[in-house]
Amino acid sequence: MVRASLRLRERVTSGDLGRYLPLYSRLDEKYRYAYKLLFPALAMMFVVHFVPVVWGVTISFMGVDANYIGDWTSAPFVGLEHYAFVMDPATTIGSRYWYSISRTALWSFGVLVGTYVLGLTAALILNQGFRGSFVVRTLLLLPWIAPAIVTLNVWRMMFLSDSGIINHALMSVGIIDEPVFWLLGDQALWSMTIAHVWIQFPWVMIMLYAGLQSIPQQLYEAASIDGAGRWGKFRYVTLPQLKPVSGVVILLMLLWTMINFTTPYVMFGGSPPSSVEVTMVYIYNFSFRAFAFGRGAAMSVGLFVVSMVIATIYYRRFIRSDLEADTQ
Amino acid sequence: MIPDEWRPSEETTDRLFGLASKGVLLTIAIWALFPIYWMVFNSFRTRFEIVGGDPSFTETSLHYQNYIDMWSRVDLLGYFVNSLVIASTTTVIALFIACLGGYAFSRYRFPGRQYVGASLIGTQLIPGILILLPMFMLFRTIHDTVGIQLIHTYQGIIFVYTTFSVPFAIWMLRGFFDTIPPSLEEAARVDGCTRFQALFRVVLPLAAPGIAATGMFVFLVAFNEVLFASVMARGDVTPLSIGIQQFMERDQNHWGEMMAASTVATLPILLIFVAFQKPIVKGLTEGGVKQ
């Protein structure tokens, strides 16, 4: 065993590896160097991303439950049974699954709109470049810099119905007459959206600001000469020029929110009100309380497929053309 | 129609617009900073003041007892140290690996480059819940066959977090490396540097703001992660993200102590950010995710 590995090492170092990996030897030396540099990252991604994803998909076709958790390979193969079961809206589990997906969609959409509008507004104003804009920019990053695990608890405290500052402020201004239960019922989704927008908008802001900074000034001058006003410049110069950055920001914001677990879990814990039981939380509770791992895996694959479809369509439509333009 | 002489001059509308936009920005800034202020403010209030719900913003008594009690109510120091060890080790290793990968991804048009790019983005859409259980089983298998303990240990959770942040870090860093002209390294190589030395002595120092911004990103991901920590980092390595919830889980909510703990947990991150704010903000502003 040791001798075999020594011999292999000898072959590798003497450049003899080509006999075993013919494709590799035909590669240009500088490409080999690129692969070597990427190797640690790709190897880790293989172990932590690729293998578990394939494993997870496999489990979703098998009857893995508490009995088989020790030796999952002996669990029976059930084909698409789990998928049919968890996606059947007639059952309690299936209807809750679909409901959780609709909640996830609503939440992700709300976060996307909120962060983009706020982020773009702040970025546009910062881009006017007044004195002290660096300080403001740094301060506006704080919600994103402060650990989410602590700030989410601050938001939860602020949303408390009896002693929370938000109800107190709204009542003293006269917008509401009696305390609102922000953390219960449908309002909980609003509260969670507001808190998450607060955490994420600085990232959107700074990305869009970076995009604004790279727009050539001449375009605005040309637009001025053509008689464009403030709105015209925004509509015909800023927005189109921001398209590549916006494309990436919107896609990542959407995907990151869809598969986010931290915000609902920290704000609402193990038994959230149903309006904030997004798919990630539902699957977590379902898998680790009922020990129905096979069914849980089927639900996860469903979520994965949804995000993959969104990402693919979006990538083809908005991002690929820019990426190709970049590499030419 | 408005008569021409009633129309405000361009100068006036410019000034009004500037004023209005600063007003909007001020509103956003207050909204952004209030929760942080509220956290610190409440960490100095007694439980009765907090539950009473009537904030007098001019309260003068500094109730610092929360800062004493919080250490004994939960094992705060232990969780805190765990989080710092996990997050900072993750940041160092992930940055090293991502610098190598990002450099290769930026400089070489090797065959299969677009597949590498697609798989980097692809990892961003894997729901953690899908790979949580398989990874738990995989780690147990590794323990049973090779004997390396990865569940409930530093090395296990650091390995997981490092891999989680590497793809996005590569993507970010690649954008920064793109902005550095390759002619600089070529010059260094003519002067006798190896390719590796050229990377470390010429490219990385120039990409420092980008590396700082990416590092902040990686650190935050590792510090905030909850899902994998809740299953794979319990016992002696429980991080703060799990431990801090204990202020709620016991007999009653200890808001004051929780806010004190939150303030203390925010401090080191804030200090790192303040110390490196110029490169971090510069790096974020130059943007590594342009495409």
Side-chain angles (χ1 to χ4, degrees):
Chain A
M1 185 67 188
V2 176
R3 198 174 292 171
S5 74
L6 275 177
R7 228 180 294 144
L8 184 67
R9 187 183 298 169
E10 202 172 276
R11 286 204 172 115
V12 173
T13 46
S14 66
D16 205 16
L17 196 66
R19 197 184 298 164
Y20 301 94
L21 295 167
L23 273 175
Y24 189 77
S25 71
R26 258 186 271 151
L27 274 180
D28 195 284
E29 192 269 334
K30 70 175 187 200
Y31 293 151
R32 278 191 236 170
Y33 186 68
Y35 285 123
K36 278 180 203 159
L37 288 177
L38 274 164
F39 180 76
L42 294 179
M44 289 177 90
M45 280 160 65
F46 184 80
V47 177
V48 170
H49 290 118
F50 186 76
V51 171
V53 165
V54 173
W55 201 329
V57 174
T58 314
I59 289 175
S60 73
F61 296 121
M62 300 176 77
V64 182
D65 55 24
N67 298 325
Y68 290 105
I69 189 70
D71 181 20
W72 68 281
T73 43
S74 61
F77 180 80
V78 297
L80 292 171
E81 212 175 87
H82 290 324
Y83 290 90
F85 182 81
V86 298
M87 289 173 195
D88 180 3
T91 64
T92 319
I93 289 170
S95 64
R96 272 179 78 184
Y97 180 65
W98 286 113
Y99 184 68
S100 78
I101 289 198
S102 75
R103 291 283 114 182
T104 310
L106 206 58
W107 182 46
S108 309
F109 184 71
V111 168
L112 179 64
V113 172
T115 51
Y116 194 80
V117 170
L118 261 170
L120 183 62
T121 310
L124 283 170
I125 301 171
L126 284 175
N127 196 41
Q128 293 172 359
F130 48 91
R131 263 183 61 204
S133 63
F134 184 84
V135 178
V136 180
R137 203 162 73 206
T138 311
L139 285 176
L140 283 183
L141 280 172
L142 285 184
W144 183 68
I145 298 293
I149 46 162
V150 304
T151 50
L152 284 167
N153 280 313
V154 180
W155 275 99
R156 179 155 63 149
M157 188 173 88
M158 287 167 43
F159 276 125
L160 288 178
S161 60
D162 47 354
S163 59
I165 182 69
I166 291 176
N167 270 345
H168 189 87
L170 290 178
M171 276 160 74
S172 62
V173 182
I175 296 176
I176 53 171
D177 294 327
E178 52 191 53
V180 175
F181 290 95
W182 291 105
L183 300 171
L184 295 173
D186 280 342
Q187 287 89 283
L189 189 77
W190 284 103
S191 316
M192 183 167 83
T193 308
I194 291 171
H196 199 69
V197 166
W198 181 85
I199 286 172
Q200 283 293 350
F201 95 93
W203 182 78
V204 175
M205 171 193 84
I206 207 78
M207 289 297 134
L208 293 176
Y209 178 82
L212 289 173
Q213 291 277 299
S214 65
I215 300 176
Q217 207 52 45
Q218 295 96 299
L219 291 179
Y220 287 109
E221 284 156 19
S224 271
I225 293 165
D226 290 344
R230 225 186 295 272
W231 170 249
K233 283 182 200 164
F234 176 72
R235 173 78 185 73
Y236 295 105
V237 180
T238 311
L239 275 186
Q241 288 288 315
L242 270 187
K243 206 186 123 200
V245 191
S246 296
V248 175
V249 165
I250 288 172
L251 178 63
L252 285 177
M253 195 76 313
L254 206 57
L255 295 177
W256 283 346
T257 316
M258 276 177 67
I259 62 172
N260 182 290
F261 179 78
T262 308
T263 297
Y265 188 76
V266 174
M267 270 186 92
F268 298 100
S271 17
S274 66
S275 78
V276 289
E277 196 176 50
V278 290
T279 312
M280 285 289 285
V281 171
Y282 178 51
I283 300 173
Y284 181 82
N285 287 335
F286 181 75
S287 297
F288 287 89
R289 283 193 187 159
F291 298 109
F293 297 113
R295 287 176 178 169
M299 290 182 185
S300 315
V301 173
L303 181 63
F304 187 36
V305 169
V306 171
S307 58
M308 227 157 34
V309 168
I310 294 175
T312 312
I313 295 173
Y314 192 87
Y315 182 82
R316 291 224 173 114
R317 175 92 175 69
F318 292 102
I319 299 179
R320 191 172 59 179
S321 54
D322 293 313
L323 198 62
E324 276 163 3
D326 155 65
T327 51
Q328 269 154 20
Chain B
M1 280 300 285
I2 308 167
D4 271 348
E5 65 269 21
W6 286 9
R7 268 206 192 126
S9 71
E10 206 169 302
E11 206 176 304
T12 320
T13 52
D14 270 357
R15 198 174 298 161
L16 278 175
F17 190 81
L19 220 59
S21 57
K22 292 229 180 80
V24 172
L25 195 64
L26 187 70
T27 315
I28 296 178
I30 291 171
W31 179 72
L33 296 177
F34 182 77
I36 296 171
Y37 160 76
W38 197 238
M39 171 177 82
V40 180
F41 178 65
N42 276 286
S43 73
F44 289 110
R45 296 173 89 199
T46 64
R47 184 186 304 155
F48 299 108
E49 286 169 330
I50 294 172
V51 171
D54 185 7
S56 65
F57 286 84
T58 51
E59 276 170 40
T60 46
S61 69
L62 276 183
H63 175 76
Y64 53 84
Q65 195 63 30
N66 291 328
Y67 283 88
I68 297 165
D69 292 346
M70 64 180 183
W71 304 100
S72 50
R73 171 114 31 222
V74 303
D75 181 18
L76 190 66
L77 186 66
Y79 301 146
F80 194 49
V81 169
N82 286 339
S83 269
L84 288 182
V85 169
I86 293 170
S88 45
T89 317
T90 299
T91 308
V92 172
I93 304 176
L95 277 183
F96 179 74
I97 293 174
C99 277
L100 301 182
Y103 175 78
F105 193 50
S106 158
R107 284 292 188 269
Y108 299 102
R109 299 284 173 267
F110 53 90
R113 186 172 176 272
Q114 67 269 44
Y115 298 109
V116 173
S119 61
L120 294 180
I121 299 187
T123 58
Q124 298 300 300
L125 48 106
I126 299 172
I129 195 82
L130 173 64
I131 56 177
L132 178 58
L133 185 73
M135 205 180 305
F136 189 80
M137 292 159 120
L138 177 68
F139 279 8
R140 214 170 49 186
T141 313
I142 290 176
H143 178 241
D144 293 346
T145 52
V146 198
I148 304 171
Q149 180 62 270
L150 292 171
I151 297 165
H152 306 320
T153 58
Y154 280 140
Q155 63 262 30
I157 200 73
I158 288 171
F159 178 68
V160 172
Y161 288 172
T162 303
T163 317
F164 281 170
S165 40
V166 156
F168 190 71
I170 289 182
W171 192 264
M172 267 181 95
L173 287 171
R174 164 248 171 176
F176 293 109
F177 291 142
D178 278 351
T179 62
I180 297 164
S183 56
L184 291 175
E185 313 145 56
E186 279 155 23
R189 293 194 59 198
V190 170
D191 289 344
C193 273
T194 64
R195 209 157 10 194
F196 208 63
Q197 284 169 333
L199 168 62
F200 271 83
R201 292 193 186 158
V202 179
V203 182
L204 293 192
L206 285 170
I211 295 173
T214 312
M216 196 76 216
F217 212 96
V218 174
F219 190 90
L220 288 172
V221 168
F223 202 90
N224 284 325
E225 212 282 332
V226 172
L227 179 60
F228 283 77
S230 75
V231 175
M232 304 223 279
R234 284 303 182 98
D236 290 344
V237 297
T238 306
L240 193 69
S241 55
I242 302 296
I244 203 163
Q245 295 305 110
Q246 287 184 6
F247 285 109
M248 314 291 292
E249 284 164 2
R250 300 280 167 90
D251 48 344
Q252 52 181 312
N253 296 343
H254 299 278
W255 285 113
E257 289 168 38
M258 190 190 223
M259 289 305 116
S262 301
T263 306
V264 170
T266 311
L267 266 178
I269 294 171
L270 222 55
L271 289 179
I272 297 173
F273 179 62
V274 170
F276 294 103
Q277 62 157 322
K278 278 259 156 70
I280 290 176
V281 176
K282 186 165 178 270
L284 286 168
T285 307
E286 282 166 1
V289 210
K290 294 230 169 108
Q291 289 83 30

